[in-house]
Amino acid sequence: MSTVTDDSPAVASGSRLAGGLGFALVSALSFGLSGALATGLLAAGWSPGSTVLVRVGLAAVVVLPFGVWALGGRWDVLRRNAGTVVLYGLLAVAGAQFCYFSAVQHMQVGPALLIEYTAPAAVVCWLWLRHGQRPGPVTLLGAGVAALGLVLVLDLVSGADLSPVGVAWALGAMVGVASYFIISADTSSGLPPLALAAGGLVVGALVLGLLGLVGLLPMRATTATVVYADREVAWWVPLLVLGLVTAAVAYCTGIAAGRRLGSRLASFVALLEVVAGVVFAWLLLEQLPRTVQLVGGLLVLVGVVGVKLGERQTAAVPATPAAAPTSVVPTSTP
């Protein structure tokens, strides 16, 4: 994944930047819808394991034909990147999902989300320690503002009980989310985004199914109607939206965003998923956001802008020969 060594904004400007931000926004909104939809299913009697398995499995079935089409018969590209695809499916799809649902079995949802969404900080640290891309002061300030906004959005100021086991699982979910951004931004492999998304979803579905078979992921389903904002819908409606929108669309557009923005900026824009989750909880579950949550959402936006401004300043400073990557591949979509 050599392109991760060049995560500067110099390659993400103009129409490419606008397109990347558009894809990132669609991905964040799509992912953000999943929490409210899943809450209705869980209240109707579905288990987290069965919900996420159907979600990922349906997305795999939908995206797979497009992934095969994107390859255009270049099966050698898939064979060369089989390890990357498996790693993406294990960490970014199955790992993140399984670890998050394991975390919320031991701790409150808010703290679990907060720990999981320290992933952008993990991406910055990875780029710094692994590739020598030290973040500038404006980037660090933007990251701090976004983190503060995230705390307010999740309304954690009142305090919450923390379980060491839950924290460990949430940190595992954070690793999965960080891997999602880092692998998605890699353009050196020649693997089309749709092929990566399809392969990762297939691997993720197989792993989740295996966890269900061995009993590590409890499976429970029902055909009872699901209620959203006092309106009843058939059980298959939220499942269909979960698979098509919150997984198929979300993963494909997320990879497209990473290819255009780089892993660092894409990961911070993805914090808008939490804001979207609060909004969808308001619309579908009638959980009205508090003023402090709205202020937090504004701070997340300010933090994302700060990270982008910090990247521009970093790009304006010529790289020293020691810090320059040995091979730089333009972040163009294969």
Side-chain angles (χ1 to χ4, degrees):
M1 292 184 289
S2 60
T3 47
V4 180
T5 62
D6 182 29
D7 204 33
S8 68
V11 294
S13 58
S15 60
R16 187 171 185 78
L17 172 61
L21 290 175
F23 279 124
L25 181 59
V26 171
S27 180
L29 292 175
S30 300
F31 275 127
L33 178 60
S34 62
L37 289 176
T39 298
L41 285 167
L42 296 177
W46 283 72
S47 67
S50 57
T51 302
V52 71
L53 177 59
V54 173
R55 174 192 179 194
V56 175
L58 179 58
V61 171
V62 171
V63 179
L64 184 58
F66 295 97
V68 173
W69 170 80
L71 276 175
R74 295 175 295 157
W75 299 106
D76 58 316
V77 176
L78 182 61
R79 286 192 295 269
R80 288 199 309 267
N81 294 280
T84 298
V85 173
V86 171
L87 189 65
Y88 185 83
L90 287 175
L91 296 180
V93 180
Q97 300 275 353
F98 177 65
C99 289
Y100 173 71
F101 282 121
S102 297
V104 298
Q105 290 180 344
H106 298 277
M107 63 192 299
Q108 298 175 11
V109 172
L113 274 175
L114 178 61
I115 295 172
E116 182 181 15
Y117 276 90
T118 57
V123 171
V124 170
C125 291
W126 168 264
L127 294 173
W128 185 0
L129 298 176
R130 180 66 175 82
H131 302 293
Q133 295 183 19
R134 175 181 294 184
V138 178
T139 297
L140 292 176
L141 178 61
V145 171
L148 175 60
L150 195 59
V151 171
L152 297 180
V153 168
L154 296 176
D155 196 14
L156 301 179
V157 293
S158 59
D161 295 330
L162 293 180
S163 161
V165 176
V167 169
W169 280 116
L171 287 173
M174 179 271 291
V175 172
V177 174
S179 301
Y180 161 76
F181 292 116
I182 293 172
I183 297 175
S184 296
D186 178 21
T187 60
S188 64
S189 62
L191 190 64
L194 285 174
L196 175 60
L201 288 168
V202 169
V203 171
L206 291 176
V207 171
L208 290 168
L210 179 61
L211 291 174
L213 287 176
V214 299
L216 291 178
L217 199 60
M219 297 291 176
R220 185 176 65 256
T222 177
T223 57
T225 57
V226 184
V227 180
Y228 296 105
D230 296 328
R231 294 186 178 181
E232 295 185 351
V233 298
W235 58 273
W236 56 266
V237 173
L239 286 174
L240 194 63
V241 179
L242 277 172
L244 296 180
V245 178
T246 75
V249 172
Y251 276 102
C252 292
T253 54
I255 294 174
R259 296 287 175 94
R260 289 162 173 79
L261 301 178
S263 56
R264 180 167 48 219
L265 180 57
S267 66
F268 278 95
V269 176
L271 291 177
L272 296 176
E273 175 188 338
V274 181
V275 181
V278 172
V279 174
F280 284 123
W282 172 29
L283 296 176
L284 297 181
L285 306 176
E286 297 182 334
Q287 297 177 356
L288 186 66
R290 299 173 57 188
T291 302
V292 66
Q293 293 177 298
L294 298 177
V295 173
L298 179 60
L299 288 179
V300 170
L301 292 174
V302 172
V304 169
V305 173
V307 170
K308 181 56 189 173
L309 292 177
E311 286 197 333
R312 286 181 176 176
Q313 290 186 357
T314 302
V317 179
T320 61
T326 55
S327 63
V328 177
V329 181
T331 56
S332 57
T333 305

